[in-house]
Amino acid sequence: MSDTHVSVRGEDEPEQLREQFRQLLRYRWLIGGGVGVGLLAGAWLGITGADSYAATTDIVLRAPTSDPFAPTLSSDKAINMGSERQTALSRKVAEGAAQRLGMRADEADRLQHGLQVTNPPQTLVLHFTYTASDPKEAARRANALTQSYIDLRKQQWEAVRGSMLKSLQDQLDPVAKQNDELSKRIKQLPDGSAADSAYAVQANLLNRITDLRSKITSLKALDMTPGNVIRNATAPTSSDGPGLPLSLGLGGLVGVGLGLLGAWVRLVFDPAPRSAGDVARAVRGPVLGALPRGSAGVLVVGRNDSRVAEEYRSIAFRLAYDERFADRRRLLVVAARGSMEASAAVAVNLAASFAETGKNVLLVEADLRTPSLAERLDVSAASRPRWSRTGEQADGEWPGPGHLVVDAGESGAFGLVPGERVRNVPRALTSARTTRLIAEADDPAAAVVVVAPPVLAYADALALVDRVDGVLIVCDPRTVHRADLVRIRELIVGAGGTVLGAVTHTESRRGEAAGSRRGNRRRGSRTPAARPAPPAARTAPDAGADPERDLNADGSTTIALRTVRSGDR
């Protein structure tokens, strides 16, 4: 039995984590779906990666230089590795490799798809990786792409050097021609100041010619190799993929993570109560009991010693010791929404539990729309005890003068005021006779249990909350929202009632479907013209019978009559 209250001590962090994990397991279908998606993705990766082979080559880049051992040389400043990587991935390199491999020019794009070029940090190394379905083809294409890149960079450097040489040569030719012409003039000049001036101009021209020829010589002496291959590609012996077992394992782990993430998101946005604590906080009262799954049967207390019966007895004992209920013991049992199957079962079994402790119990079925308890219980007719009489009676009004006795097996018996269909439900529930029926159970040995339709479906229960000592809310956490429970508590408190607590239940899907079918058949058969009268109406007590006779009288002195009330016409 659950013992959850509104004000609880702060739980430690491990307990909170365990509770959250238990709540996540409510969405096993999400976790299972995530695992399934992860396994499918892992299987796809393992199968597709089994036929892929990766061959690699490495190139160390260098800048053109005439003296590679010069201490002032700084290649990392002369080479931009980002630009070099983009050049290696360019279409120009792919076209050169396609030409080397004997492929058509339009296949260069397909050749580029399998290439990856990376640069390890703080190095001048380009790492070429080519992936193909055949290991030998992967190695051949990796080497072709590497060599194509080297050839392209060498052509580019040589083109730059050729352009510079042409520029220097264009500067040198007019200076050399001018020097030749000046040399011829000097030979014709006599010694003197004119000759000295000509010699000075010629010296300047010779210095310019020497400088230009020195630059040309330096450019021609440069080593234009863009880099050196330090590892050639060889045919790989194993596939590049992680393998099917490892892929399935990784996919399963990722799937578990995705499933838990989806379950957590679903848990955060789930409007239904996630635990008994959520129900207790919503109704601001304790969860007095949690009925086991599929606890079918309208009356189990006194009939068998099952776990469900013990749960009902525990709820009854907790109510009996509640100071708000112990003095007069007037209880209203309502459901949140939906059918009255669960709330009626709770009311009947609580009545049997109170009767088991020696109380004179009267169960009032305040369902005046689709009453059914008289048909579902083992009842017999009897006159109402003195403490539950409502004075004068009128024909066709509810509650009537008689009542039924329910046989609860080993728990004894308790009285039942069955519901009857009336023309004006609010008037019947708020009548003085209904008030006296509930209010006159002041005997310390008496208890009244009233079951009413769901609060959020009809206002019938709100008409009775101010006449009882407390309200017990019966709900299925899977089908009710936290906002619904808060709304029910506000309605009950606003009508002058007190919420004693809640009882949670979880019906099996098969039981819910069967109950729905039974409810539909019952509603379909209860038309005003064809509805059978309850046993109390069909069995009229003898006029001369003693009104104080035993509650267990079998009614053998009665005559079976068909009674039609005004509300049923």
Side-chain angles (χ1 to χ4, degrees):
M1 178 177 139
S2 177
D3 190 14
T4 306
H5 294 268
V6 179
S7 58
V8 295
R9 293 183 179 179
E11 299 174 342
D12 54 357
E13 186 173 351
E15 181 62 27
Q16 292 179 356
L17 292 176
R18 285 191 293 269
E19 178 63 22
Q20 290 179 1
F21 185 73
R22 283 194 294 268
Q23 296 302 324
L24 288 177
L25 291 181
R26 293 175 57 190
Y27 308 105
R28 296 183 181 89
W29 61 275
L30 273 176
I31 299 177
V35 173
V37 171
L39 290 177
L40 289 177
W44 177 81
L45 180 63
I47 293 173
T48 56
D51 295 334
S52 62
Y53 296 88
T56 59
T57 60
D58 289 332
I59 303 176
V60 177
L61 302 184
R62 55 186 296 272
T65 179
S66 58
D67 185 5
F69 304 103
T72 58
L73 182 64
S74 180
S75 298
D76 57 340
K77 295 182 180 179
I79 300 175
N80 188 327
M81 296 303 298
S83 300
E84 297 297 330
R85 180 177 174 275
Q86 294 300 321
T87 302
L89 293 170
S90 65
R91 181 179 175 82
K92 197 72 174 177
V93 172
E95 289 176 351
Q99 186 176 1
R100 281 178 170 274
L101 295 171
M103 301 170 63
R104 299 191 305 271
D106 57 354
E107 295 181 350
D109 291 335
R110 186 164 57 88
L111 189 63
Q112 282 182 288
H113 291 164
L115 177 64
Q116 288 184 347
V117 181
T118 58
N119 169 231
Q122 307 298 323
T123 65
L124 296 176
V125 177
L126 283 182
H127 186 74
F128 285 72
T129 302
Y130 195 87
T131 304
S133 58
D134 182 71
K136 293 183 179 179
E137 186 66 18
R140 193 166 72 95
R141 293 186 178 186
N143 289 326
L145 286 165
T146 303
Q147 192 60 45
S148 175
Y149 166 75
I150 293 176
D151 294 344
L152 177 62
R153 292 303 290 150
K154 188 174 183 179
Q155 292 175 5
Q156 291 175 345
W157 284 118
E158 287 179 348
V160 172
R161 182 177 66 174
S163 177
M164 294 179 65
L165 287 175
K166 183 177 180 304
S167 176
L168 292 174
Q169 191 65 42
D170 291 343
Q171 297 178 42
L172 177 62
D173 289 344
V175 175
K177 183 178 180 180
Q178 184 179 0
N179 181 57
D180 293 340
E181 292 176 354
L182 184 59
S183 296
K184 293 178 181 179
R185 287 175 56 193
I186 290 175
K187 290 179 181 180
Q188 298 174 359
L189 291 175
D191 294 337
S193 58
D196 294 339
S197 299
Y199 280 119
V201 173
Q202 187 180 28
N204 292 333
L205 292 175
L206 291 175
N207 289 336
R208 177 63 175 165
I209 292 172
T210 302
D211 182 56
L212 291 174
R213 286 178 176 174
S214 175
K215 291 181 179 179
I216 291 173
T217 302
S218 298
L219 285 175
K220 290 181 178 180
L222 288 177
D223 183 6
M224 305 306 295
T225 303
N228 300 318
V229 179
I230 58 176
R231 182 173 66 173
N232 289 315
T234 58
T237 57
S238 60
S239 63
D240 184 51
L244 185 59
L246 182 58
S247 298
L248 288 175
L250 293 176
L253 291 176
V254 174
V256 169
L258 290 176
L260 289 176
L261 178 61
W264 178 79
V265 172
R266 180 69 177 86
L267 180 64
V268 169
F269 293 99
D270 188 5
R274 297 188 295 267
S275 63
D278 286 349
V279 176
R281 282 186 289 271
V283 302
R284 295 187 183 179
V287 175
L288 299 177
L291 301 179
R293 180 184 294 273
S295 53
V298 67
L299 179 58
V300 294
V301 175
R303 300 293 177 84
N304 55 64
D305 293 331
S306 62
R307 177 187 171 191
V308 181
E310 293 303 319
E311 188 72 18
Y312 283 125
R313 291 187 179 101
S314 300
I315 298 171
F317 276 112
R318 293 200 61 180
L319 287 171
Y321 288 102
D322 193 326
E323 61 182 6
R324 296 170 296 179
F325 176 76
D327 293 338
R328 295 185 296 178
R329 289 174 297 280
R330 299 179 181 125
L331 178 67
L332 174 62
V333 181
V334 294
R337 61 168 67 249
S339 68
M340 289 183 57
E341 297 286 339
S343 59
V346 171
V348 170
N349 286 278
L350 287 181
S353 300
F354 290 140
E356 199 172 42
T357 61
K359 304 293 183 183
N360 294 325
V361 182
L362 180 64
L363 175 61
V364 180
E365 184 185 14
D367 181 12
L368 307 183
R369 304 176 189 274
T370 56
S372 62
L373 286 183
E375 302 173 3
R376 298 166 59 190
L377 296 174
D378 185 9
V379 298
S380 59
S383 63
R384 183 166 300 165
R386 179 178 300 170
W387 61 268
S388 66
R389 295 175 187 171
T390 59
E392 68 281 355
Q393 302 291 336
D395 226 4
E397 293 185 356
W398 184 89
H403 82 292
L404 304 177
V405 174
V406 179
D407 182 10
E410 296 181 358
S411 298
F414 59 89
L416 170 65
V417 177
E420 299 178 11
R421 297 185 64 177
V422 298
R423 184 180 302 276
N424 193 323
V425 175
R427 179 178 299 175
L429 293 176
T430 57
S431 65
R433 295 168 46 251
T434 304
T435 303
R436 287 194 298 270
L437 174 67
I438 299 175
E440 289 183 1
D442 290 333
D443 191 330
V448 175
V449 179
V450 184
V451 58
V455 180
L456 298 180
Y458 302 100
D460 300 354
L462 300 179
L464 301 170
V465 294
D466 60 339
R467 310 175 200 182
V468 296
D469 299 310
V471 181
L472 184 64
I473 301 174
V474 181
C475 65
D476 184 354
R478 300 177 309 167
T479 60
V480 70
H481 295 174
R482 290 188 296 271
D484 295 338
L485 295 177
V486 174
R487 177 62 177 164
I488 292 172
R489 178 187 57 79
E490 292 175 349
L491 290 174
I492 292 174
V493 174
T498 301
V499 177
L500 297 180
V503 174
T504 62
H505 67 96
T506 303
E507 293 292 341
S508 61
R509 298 298 183 186
R510 183 179 302 174
E512 291 174 352
S516 176
R517 288 194 297 269
R518 286 196 302 269
N520 292 336
R521 288 197 299 268
R522 185 165 60 248
R523 285 189 293 269
S525 63
R526 285 181 185 150
T527 60
R531 176 182 172 270
R538 292 194 301 265
T539 307
D542 188 5
D546 182 8
E548 298 295 331
R549 65 183 176 179
D550 185 11
L551 290 177
N552 295 323
D554 58 2
S556 59
T557 60
T558 62
I559 301 175
L561 296 176
R562 168 79 177 217
T563 303
V564 180
R565 297 184 182 273
S566 61
D568 295 333
R569 294 178 181 175

